[in-house]
Structures are given as structure tokens and as C-alpha cells.
Amino acid sequence: MSSRPSRPPRSQVAALLGATLTTQMSNLAQTTVLGLLVYQLTGSELDLGFLGLAQFAPAALLVLVAGAVADRFDRRAVTALGAMANAIVALTLAWYVRHPDGLSTTPIFLLVLAFGAGQAFLSPALRSLPAAMVANDGVPWLVARRSIAGQTATIIGPVLGGLLYGVGVWVPLVAAAALAAAGAGLVMAIRVPGPPAVRSQAGPLSPVGDDQVDHLLEDGLPATRGGLHEALEGLRFVRSQSIVLGAISLDLFAVLFGGAVTLLPAIAVRLHVGAVGFGWLRAAAGLGAGAMTLVIAFRPVRRHVGRVLLGVVAIFGFWTIVLGLTRSYALAFIAMFGLSAADAVSVFIRSTLVPLATPPEMRGRVLAVENVFIGASNELGGFESGAVGQLLGTTGSVVLGGIGTLVVALACGALFAPLRRVDRFPTPPTSATAGEAGEPTEPST
């Protein structure tokens, strides 16, 4: 019975990081272009909110299906199929917008819904892979490096979209399609070592021999209980585990109020910068997050995990308020850098905490639930920002959102005491029934 290494081969790390980089670059380049295009077509902050809502809605509607699929089938194949679906959507968008005159936003919104459906399957499957590639003690190491790839994408993707937008609206969308297709190829180069643990029809875990692994991956049908009961297990587990529920609830409500990124096209117009300036303003998020992720890669958060998480969310809220108030492009750039650096710490903690607090056989379903929270905190938060922006203006929406984020950090610190008291990352449970009410081994406090 083989075991997972603490450090996978460099080629496997490169494949994972490459798949993360290309799929997220594709996503961000496309999002940057469509946000700018929709705002130029309508001049409405509310339409920017609807654009985010269209991307989020499929993740919410498909959460039960996507999580079960990620647990029952080869996660590499699920990721690759999601990436190829996104490539097709990007090519269709490129064809539609090739002549900007007379465009309607309705087909754009419909295609973004299709893109969101692809992301609903891609995201939990791809995010489950690091915990399957390495032993538990190697997860923070691999997650930190995967975060570097993701944050690099947040720098390059928006800049690429802004630069190519000046050549033609359709050009960055073709680039996004090529990047998504490249991600599909890279993820299939990943090899997941060791025998997975799967559940029998009766429910308990049973080990699978090495000679059965390839058969399981080919058939994609490990012996698990199917149907709605299985799909709902991810929701039940999250609800029963206060640490995981607190971490993802904090992310949901903090960025629900602090979703200023959606209004960046309107902020760029207020600051009198064009497509290139807008691209760099959005890339400031990647620069801040990337710089912080490099720090985390070499000096990861190991102690006072819960308090650090709450603290960086409060810092995120502070810089969001600065972004809403400023009329200076330089200060807006610094604010985006600062709030994204704080968010990078939050993402690292949550991306490490949630898989380690979840039994291996349930990670797909739990991460699919978390994906809805993440989607809600970004796309649904963007809709909230757009709707409030339509009523109070861009400045009022962003400032109010920053204040709301500060309140959320304080409230979650009071409501989720187990999360606040977490000192070190927890030891993973060996099955869904391990611990009281599904809790992992109690982390050090």
C-alpha cells in the first residue's frame, strides 16, 4: 500500500501550478474584458452586479451535483472538462463581440451563465488535488505554492486582458480560450499517488489496493452511496463543524460587503484612466496578493491561525474604505495592493484549514459547498456592490462595504469562538464519522 509523499515530484508540482495559472488567467482576463465592455455599453453599476451574479448563480444551483461529481469521478478529468467548456464559452464570446457596434448585454449574460457552470465543476475538483497529491503535513507547503500561481494569474490576467482589449474586444477572449485549453492539458498530466479511501455501499471507509486504483480512475465510479443523500453530506458536514463553518462564513459575509472589485470599471472612469490603466488597477490586486503569497510560501502562518484570519479580514475592510474615498489613482493602486495582500493571507488559511478539517472521501463535496461561499463572497458580493452603487453611487457603495467588512470581522470573532481560538492547523479526521459531530481532531489552542 503506497503512501502520499510530503513533497511530490517537481514535474507534478509544475503541472498543478501550470493548470492553476492558466485556468485562473483565462478567468480573470475574460472577467476584466467583460466588466469593461458591459460598463461601456450601459454605464450602469447595477449591470456590473448582474454580471457577477450571472457567474455565481450556476455554482449555487449546481453545488450538490458538482461536489458529488468531484468525489465520484477522476478529479483531473472533471477539471479538464470544466476548462474545455470554459474555452468554448470564451470562443463564443469572441465571435459575438467581434463587431462591438449594436451589441446587447443579454447574450453576454447568458454566456457568462454557461461559463459559471463550467467553473462550478472545475473549481472544487482542482482545489481538491493538492490534498490528494501529498501527505497531510505537506498540504500547507503545496497550497502556498499553488497560491503563488493563483496570485500570479491575478497579476497577468487583468493586464493581459486590458492590453489586448485595445487591439480588439475579441482578442483577449481568444487568448482566454487558449489558456483554458492549456489548463485542461496540464491538469491531465498530474498523477495522484497512493490508494484512495472509498466508501462501500454500507458507508464505512475501505482501502483500495494499488492494482485497483487505475481501474477506479478509468471507470470513475468508486463504490459510494449515491443520490441526494450523498450530495447533501457536504452541507451536513460543514454545518456540523464550527471551525469550517466559521472560516467560510467569514469569507462569505466579509467580501459580500467588500466586493469593490466589481465596481473597478466605474472607479477607473471616476479616476479618468482608460483600458490599460484599468487593467493595471485590477492587476494591483494580484501584485499585493502575489507579494504576500511569496512571504507566506517561506514563512507560512503556523500559530494563532484564527486570530490572524480575523485580523486580516479587518485590514481588508480598512483598505476597501480607502479605495472608496480616494480620488487619486496612486492611492487607489495602493489600496488595491493592501486589501489584496490581506485577502491572500485569508485565502491561504482557509485553503489549508478546510481540506485538513475534512475527511479525504468528502473533500470534493465540502469544497463544492465552500466554492459557493467563495462565489457568493465575490460574485454575489459584486451584485450587492452594484445594486448599492446604483442607489448611493460608487463611493457610497465601496465605503459602506468596507465598514460592513469591519463589522463582520468583529461579529464572527464573537460568534465563532472555536475559530478564534484556533492556534495551529488541525489534524485531519480519517473518516466522516471521526470526532464529535464530524469535528477533526481539536486544534491546539
Side-chain angles (χ1 to χ4, degrees):
M1 193 177 205
S2 61
S3 59
R4 293 171 295 164
S6 294
R7 299 287 189 273
R10 291 183 179 180
S11 61
Q12 298 300 292
V13 175
L16 175 67
L17 301 188
T20 301
L21 177 67
T22 51
T23 54
Q24 292 196 22
M25 277 181 61
S26 172
N27 183 350
L28 290 162
Q30 177 176 296
T31 301
T32 300
V33 168
L34 293 182
L36 190 57
L37 176 62
V38 167
Y39 192 71
Q40 288 179 342
L41 289 173
T42 67
S44 169
E45 288 90 346
L46 185 60
D47 282 334
L48 293 175
F50 277 122
L51 190 65
L53 186 61
Q55 187 168 330
F56 161 72
L61 295 174
L62 296 171
V63 56
L64 301 181
V65 177
V69 166
D71 281 336
R72 291 176 63 85
F73 294 87
D74 182 353
R75 289 166 180 162
R76 301 167 306 158
V78 174
T79 302
L81 289 172
M84 289 306 301
N86 289 347
I88 293 171
V89 170
L91 285 176
T92 306
L93 280 165
W95 172 82
Y96 177 70
V97 304
R98 70 194 189 283
H99 300 302
D101 296 334
L103 289 179
S104 168
T105 58
T106 300
I108 295 174
F109 288 145
L110 292 175
L111 287 167
V112 170
L113 282 170
F115 173 81
Q119 282 293 112
F121 289 93
L122 183 157
S123 184
L126 180 59
R127 294 182 62 243
S128 298
L129 287 175
M133 293 173 63
V134 295
N136 294 325
D137 60 352
V139 172
W141 180 89
L142 189 54
V143 167
R145 280 145 185 82
R146 182 181 176 273
S147 295
I148 292 175
Q151 300 304 343
T152 301
T154 65
I155 300 169
I156 302 174
V159 172
L160 180 67
L163 290 173
L164 295 181
Y165 190 92
V167 179
V169 180
W170 60 274
V171 176
L173 295 171
V174 172
L179 288 166
L186 285 166
V187 78
M188 292 307 297
I190 297 172
R191 296 291 177 264
V192 179
V198 298
R199 288 174 299 158
S200 68
Q201 293 289 348
L205 289 170
S206 56
V208 180
D210 291 328
D211 58 343
Q212 296 175 274
V213 173
D214 291 337
H215 174 71
L216 284 171
L217 291 178
E218 289 172 3
D219 289 350
L221 292 171
T224 59
R225 288 158 55 187
L228 182 61
H229 176 82
E230 178 189 2
L232 286 171
E233 283 181 338
L235 286 170
R236 294 191 188 100
F237 185 84
V238 170
R239 186 183 62 183
S240 69
Q241 185 167 165
S242 57
I243 293 172
V244 174
L245 179 62
I248 60 180
S249 296
L250 176 64
D251 187 284
L252 167 65
F253 291 107
V255 188
L256 176 65
F257 293 116
V261 173
T262 299
L263 295 179
L264 278 181
I267 293 174
V269 171
R270 186 186 72 191
L271 297 174
H272 307 291
V273 296
V276 175
F278 166 63
W280 276 107
L281 186 61
R282 180 145 191 166
L287 289 168
M292 182 56 69
T293 303
L294 284 173
V295 174
I296 292 172
F298 294 99
R299 295 183 63 87
V301 178
R302 299 185 186 278
R303 299 294 305 274
H304 312 299
V305 169
R307 293 179 182 177
V308 171
L309 179 60
L310 293 166
V312 295
V313 169
I315 293 171
F316 178 91
F318 166 77
W319 282 115
T320 299
I321 294 171
V322 173
L323 178 65
L325 292 174
T326 186
R327 294 296 185 272
S328 163
Y329 182 80
L331 186 54
F333 191 96
I334 292 171
M336 285 297 301
F337 186 100
L339 69 87
S340 299
D343 187 53
V345 180
S346 172
V347 169
F348 168 78
I349 292 175
R350 191 188 66 248
S351 297
T352 305
L353 180 65
V354 174
L356 287 180
T358 304
E361 81 278 8
M362 291 188 64
R363 281 176 181 150
R365 279 159 290 173
V366 170
L367 290 174
V369 173
E370 188 201 17
N371 188 47
V372 172
F373 279 79
I374 295 171
S377 66
N378 289 283
E379 280 76 30
L380 191 58
F383 174 74
E384 178 271 336
S385 295
V388 176
Q390 192 73 16
L391 295 173
L392 303 180
T394 301
T395 298
S397 175
V398 176
V399 171
L400 186 61
I403 294 171
T405 301
L406 292 173
V407 172
V408 165
L410 292 172
C412 285
L415 293 174
F416 296 101
L419 175 64
R420 187 184 70 246
R421 292 196 298 263
V422 170
D423 185 19
R424 299 179 185 271
F425 289 114
T427 301
T430 56
S431 74
T433 58
E436 182 181 355
E439 292 282 352
T441 302
E442 184 67 22
S444 167
T445 57

